[in-house]
Amino acid sequence: MAKNLLIVESPAKAKTIESILGKDFEVKSCFGHIRDLEKNDMGIDISNNFEPKYIISPDKTKVVSDLKALAKKSDEVWLASDEDREGESISWHLAEVLKLNPKTTKRIVFHEITKPAIQKAVQNPRTINMDLVNAQQARRVLDRIVGFELSPVLWRKIGMKGGLSAGRVQSVAVKLIVEKEREINQFVPVSSFKVEASLAATDMNNRSVNFKAEGAKFNQAADAEKFLQSCVGAKYSVKDIQVRPGKRTPAAPFTTSTLQQEASRKLGYGVSKTMLLAQRLYESGKITYMRTDSVNLSDTAMDSIKAEIGKSFGDNYLQVRKYKNKNDSAQEAHEAIRPTYMENRSVDDYDTNRLYELIWKRTIASQMADAELENTTAKINISTNNEELTASGQVIKFDGFLKVYLESSDDEEEDNDDSRLPNLTVGQELVFNQMLATERFTRPTARYTEASLVKKLEELGIGRPSTYAPTISTIIKRTYVEKKEKEGVKREYRIMKLKDDKLSKVTEVETTGAEKNKLFPTDLGLVVTDFLNQHFNQVMDYNFTAEIEKEFDEIADGKMVWNNMVSDFYTPFHEGVEHTLENAERAVGERALGNDPESGKPVIARMGRYGPMVQIGIADDEEKPKFAKLKASQSIETISLEDALELFKLGAPLGEYEGQEISVNIGRFGPYVKFGDQFISIPRGEEPGDVDLDRAIELIKEKQLADAPVAHYDNKPVTKGKGRFGPFIKWNDMFINVPARYNFDNLSQADINALIEAKLVKEANRYIQQFPEEKISIENGRWGPEVVYSKKRIRLPKGKYTADALATVSLDEVKAMILAQDPKAFDKKKAPAKKAATKAAAKKAPAKKAAPKKK
């Protein structure tokens, strides 16, 4: 048995480190965090100075048990989790669970997994830094408070299927995307005409070289045309030439956020993929720690970089640089992301290698010489109107760092190639080929990509390197934001051409507005953001969120007590939550579109229980309102009255088949064909408006074929299909899931018998007692008896009630159990009738007859 037990976060890292330290050390992984806050009652004792209540995560029980056993057998336990606040917190939790003394237990940190770094760390251990632990604890507690207190507000005031949730950083990230979307929606393009001439000059080899020269921009077509007319018969000559030296400087080595941005721009990697690959590189000893906001390079790294530049490119390419981080809160004691061994230029895996090469090139380039340029600007006179054209060119005299790497930009122009002018002299006559005045339109700012959102969050001081990837994953998972492509639209533009002293005009067509892998807010994201902005302005304020991050930094520096910081935040925040729950109206993000020309009733777009929808009429009308679900490509904020009315045409009968009426519509689970009492899903990718009678009948026949009985049980047919929750068989109006251990494509009669009989036994044991008239039941749940009412489940205290006792309790006793946990369970709110159309839309619409789930 090894004398020392050293605990790291990941198993991949454990193997590498164990091979370095040798037989005196046994290196084991704790697989990340081993404890987290309890889920019940928030997991925080608010009244006891915000004391966290931690439990060992269920999936880590065995890991902790194994570590405890190993710790008892070892002479000494070392903690070697990552060097950031999360890592420090993991070490503290390990010390608590393994009953180690945090004041004496050896804690080691390193930012690269190399033999010198590991040996140096072991030779220089420290103890757990409780300031870093408290900074992480403050973040976890504050975020749990925000999530647990805000989420119920959203459930009550917005609703929607499934539970809504809010987060401190996530909600601000969604707000950024929402504001960008609205800025784009309000943007009105303005056209202007760009004048560009194609000219030619003879070079030293007596060859004709074409180049371009730009003229003024004109806002009006008439002005551009007038200018071209004034150039008829003109001579073009060089009036002035200016040659100025220039240079380009390399970018700093990678931090977490700049790596995420460049990997997105150059490789097309999402933030989560970048961090996953970077984690692999770090754990296998290929790069330094990948969660950092420092641009420093160690002396060891600098020596290695200098040697590599000298060997591969020559000493004239070396220029030693010391970079300074613009972020005041950056931890300069850490290092930038770099290869651990500069002599290694690649790794084995393709995707990982692309990222590694990016890191290698950026690191090398950061210490290479400036690129030396020569910028030439020529002024060209037009003889007929004495106006000027400008021709610009750039020549690279010494490539420097450009030999290896050039940083990308979020807003690169389509045509940004370096160009070279022919050798021109003042007074030289030029050959005129043609002149164009091309209509161009202003463009809105681009939507965020994952990488540009990270950049914006960093600029605002919101979040830290470890939070960016999970923040973006969370807002997409919660369906507040979608990452998708947007097809461009066709647009005409005008071109005027002057050639051979003749002016011509043509109209061309271009595609504009196409976008790929951009972040779009959903209607749900828009409504939630507006609600939080209205009622929790401080939480949604960018400066306030950034100040919270600074306070976390002060806790980490030992300058602030974490409980006090949380208390200062909690009191006004909690009061705001209580006030909003009591006084705020339900939010549905409604928008009045106009009136239905047939009925004269108002048409309103709003959020419904199952997503964005439009309705004709209001709840106060004698006739029930009509409802239609928006298409995936439509939004409450931008849908027109015409498009909304088109949605209501979907429900109209298409015709009949086998004596039953056919119609097409959009329901809770997407577009469908209604055939009698059947609902048949329309395949993904097909627009419901494009489904005609022939296509509908085709889908009906396919469904009939799929629904044909595959067997019989108790003289009743058995059919099978695949639904939202996987493969199933249907018998006697009962849906029975088919586990993976069965061959679904070849179910035998014995298989079917076993599945049905197991289901019947389960259903027989499901109900302890039922009260159908009250829609209340007592059921055997997975974790014990439960009271079920209004689609809610109340778990009864363990050991308090037996199934036999519950079988005889009265309805009043059951209601008392419900009220004990939900005091407002049976409250009937009688809201006054609202006359205004837009206000009435906020009320819950009368329940429609629900379509059965399509399988």
Side-chain angles (χ1 to χ4, degrees), residues 452-723:
S452 62
L453 180 62
V454 165
K455 183 179 180 182
K456 186 65 177 180
L457 289 169
E458 188 180 43
E459 286 173 0
L460 294 171
I462 297 168
R464 287 295 180 263
S466 62
T467 66
Y468 297 136
T471 293
I472 292 172
S473 297
T474 299
I475 62 178
I476 292 174
K477 183 179 178 181
R478 290 176 178 169
T479 68
Y480 295 152
V481 170
E482 290 178 311
K483 182 180 177 182
K484 62 181 183 180
E485 297 181 5
K486 179 176 177 284
E487 290 186 6
V489 295
K490 301 292 184 183
R491 177 175 65 190
E492 292 184 345
Y493 68 100
R494 294 167 286 175
I495 301 174
M496 288 174 266
K497 181 193 291 187
L498 178 64
K499 187 168 184 175
D500 298 330
D501 287 341
K502 291 180 182 178
L503 186 66
S504 60
K505 299 178 186 179
V506 294
T507 299
E508 299 284 352
V509 176
E510 64 182 352
T511 299
T512 182
E515 293 184 285
K516 189 175 182 180
N517 290 332
K518 295 294 180 70
L519 299 175
F520 292 76
T522 62
D523 281 316
L524 179 60
L526 293 165
V527 172
V528 169
T529 298
D530 287 343
F531 181 83
L532 293 176
N533 261 338
Q534 181 181 352
H535 298 287
F536 298 94
N537 184 259
Q538 190 178 40
V539 174
M540 298 293 281
D541 181 75
Y542 300 133
N543 291 330
F544 176 77
T545 309
E547 284 302 315
I548 291 286
E549 294 292 348
K550 290 179 182 177
E551 290 180 0
F552 290 150
D553 293 339
E554 290 188 28
I555 295 169
D557 293 336
K559 298 175 183 176
M560 184 179 285
V561 179
W562 80 268
N563 316 68
N564 295 344
M565 177 262 184
V566 174
S567 178
D568 291 343
F569 170 86
Y570 178 75
T571 303
F573 171 72
H574 181 70
E575 289 172 356
V577 168
E578 293 292 314
H579 177 80
T580 304
L581 279 170
E582 190 68 31
N583 300 296
E585 290 189 359
R586 185 177 171 84
V588 290
E590 62 187 35
R591 176 170 159 255
L593 305 180
N595 293 316
D596 175 26
E598 289 185 13
S599 65
K601 292 181 178 180
V603 182
I604 301 157
R606 66 179 182 89
M607 287 298 294
R609 185 179 179 189
Y610 302 115
M613 52 173 279
V614 287
Q615 71 179 58
I616 297 176
I618 58 176
D620 288 348
D621 292 343
E622 289 183 12
E623 187 181 348
K624 290 181 180 179
K626 295 178 182 178
F627 302 96
K629 188 174 180 180
L630 266 60
K631 297 178 184 178
S633 58
Q634 295 174 327
S635 168
I636 290 171
E637 294 221 340
T638 55
I639 190 171
S640 66
L641 176 62
E642 293 73 21
D643 289 340
L645 293 173
E646 197 67 30
L647 292 172
F648 289 96
K649 295 179 182 178
L650 288 174
L654 291 178
E656 288 189 358
Y657 176 67
E658 295 182 348
Q660 297 192 80
E661 190 177 86
I662 299 173
S663 61
V664 173
N665 215 326
I666 303 175
R668 179 180 176 184
F669 303 111
Y672 62 86
V673 171
K674 187 171 185 292
F675 173 55
D677 293 329
Q678 280 188 286
F679 296 84
I680 301 159
S681 294
I682 293 173
R684 185 174 294 178
E686 286 190 48
E687 286 289 344
D690 296 335
V691 177
D692 57 14
L693 181 61
D694 289 341
R695 176 59 179 149
I697 292 172
E698 190 178 328
L699 292 171
I700 291 166
K701 288 179 177 177
E702 290 175 5
K703 178 67 173 171
Q704 288 174 334
L705 184 63
D707 286 349
V710 294
H712 285 78
Y713 181 86
D714 195 21
N715 295 322
K716 294 172 185 173
V718 178
T719 60
K720 67 178 185 178
K722 292 183 180 179

